[in-house]
Amino acid sequence: MNILIFDSGMGGLSVYQEIKRRLPQATYTYVFDNGAFPYGELPPSTLVDRVVAIIKDRVAARDIDLVVIACNTASTVVLPPLREQLSIPVVGVVPAIKPAASASKVGVIGLLATPATVSRPYTDELISRFAEHCKVLRVGSTRLVEIAEDKLRGIPAPLGELAQILSPFKGAVDQLILGCTHFPLLREEICAVLEEAVSVIDSGAAIANRVVSLLEGSTLKEQGAHQVYCTLADKNCLALHSYLEQQALSAPQVISLTLPDA
Ligand code: DGL
């Protein structure tokens, strides 16, 4: 089986790692839209147009069995239009509001995501469905997304800046939801900065469970080479090669596709 994992950048690798642990025999196609990175400040219509075009192109080119939108920001708007256009399963990422709210003892939980994800109606709905009894502190940060990407290029996360971004949560929450797939890549640094007993929750394992259950019973194809595709070849992309190699992934190839401007 060939699983396509999509994100704006490298955040989807946190999801890839969880899925690959469960399904080491699958073939992986990792696709990232670095031509429009970061996604957290893009209008929904641009996101929908780009993501639908990119995914349709790669699904056709790579004989894909299942798509994972490993990006909370994209998942808040693209899942319905994408599912309409594809006949294979599409799995999205939802911030782990439900488990965080039910585990909270103090009744105050934190949501750390992109500016788009913290303010979308999709997130408001999740909060009113699953966390009505809690106070939800929301922080949207694009800077943290960049810090996570830099880490994979060998630039250590600036802990002072991280502490500043996380300051609204300090001493206030007992559960912190990582509502952006880039943030598990900074889990150690986030835990070090928060110090106290805050449970840091992401959605990686839940997505892997969903993928495993959707693929149960599918015929095992011979494993092919894992491939990586992006939408822009630049020096930031080049600097990721060694991290991708450590993840058993190839150097990114640029997709030749005319896309709506970001
Ligand atoms: N990794 C993404 C998410 O889960 C997107 C980050 C961004 O491009 O701003 O939201």
Side-chain angles (χ1 to χ4, degrees):
M1 44 208 156
N2 196 338
I3 301 173
L4 186 156
I5 300 177
F6 175 84
D7 186 30
S8 59
M10 295 295 108
L13 290 179
S14 68
V15 176
Y16 160 74
Q17 288 156 3
E18 293 281 352
I19 301 174
K20 191 158 179 257
R21 224 193 316 273
R22 301 285 305 277
L23 296 170
Q25 73 283 20
T27 304
Y28 291 92
T29 299
Y30 189 80
V31 186
F32 62 105
D33 185 13
N34 57 333
F37 173 88
Y39 268 8
E41 292 175 33
L42 284 189
S45 60
T46 310
L47 262 181
V48 170
D49 292 349
R50 289 187 72 97
V51 177
V52 170
I54 295 168
I55 303 280
K56 278 179 69 182
D57 173 76
R58 285 302 91 192
V59 165
R62 291 272 298 161
D63 189 21
I64 299 295
D65 298 297
L66 181 143
V67 171
V68 180
I69 301 298
C71 173
N72 289 265
T73 311
S75 294
T76 60
V77 290
V78 306
L79 297 175
L82 191 59
R83 286 182 176 134
E84 242 167 60
Q85 306 237 8
L86 295 177
S87 55
I88 53 173
V90 178
V91 177
V93 198
V94 177
I97 289 167
K98 189 179 176 186
S102 53
S104 179
K105 299 226 162 42
V106 299
V108 188
I109 62 175
L111 172 62
L112 182 63
T114 63
T117 299
V118 294
S119 60
R120 290 255 158 83
Y122 177 93
T123 304
D124 295 337
E125 260 165 56
L126 283 172
I127 291 174
S128 58
R129 269 181 73 196
F130 301 117
E132 270 244 289
H133 58 291
C134 285
K135 186 170 172 195
V136 184
L137 302 183
R138 309 185 200 195
V139 170
S141 173
T142 295
R143 180 64 192 128
L144 208 54
V145 176
E146 291 161 355
I147 293 174
E149 294 258 325
D150 283 348
K151 180 182 169 181
L152 304 192
R153 295 188 195 103
I155 303 166
L159 293 185
E161 197 179 351
L162 223 69
Q164 225 171 358
I165 296 169
L166 298 176
S167 61
F169 301 127
K170 280 205 102 178
V173 305
D174 61 350
Q175 310 288 321
L176 176 64
I177 303 152
L178 303 182
C180 168
T181 53
H182 277 76
F183 300 163
L185 302 171
L186 292 170
R187 176 185 291 278
E188 265 173 46
E189 291 85 348
I190 290 172
C191 291
V193 161
L194 287 175
E195 286 163 6
E196 331 83 309
V198 176
S199 303
V200 176
I201 307 175
D202 67 68
S203 313
I207 299 164
N209 285 341
R210 180 80 187 127
V211 169
V212 168
S213 79
L214 283 167
L215 290 175
E216 224 151 37
S218 358
T219 16
L220 215 60
K221 293 183 204 161
E222 202 185 319
Q223 190 171 39
H226 308 317
Q227 296 290 356
V228 179
Y229 298 92
C230 65
T231 53
L232 178 74
D234 62 0
K235 66 172 185 352
N236 280 341
C237 190
L238 273 175
L240 290 166
H241 286 196
S242 75
Y243 187 78
L244 291 170
E245 210 176 336
Q246 284 166 35
Q247 304 297 314
L249 291 166
S250 69
Q253 299 169 49
V254 183
I255 306 168
S256 66
L257 189 66
T258 313
L259 291 166
D261 282 343

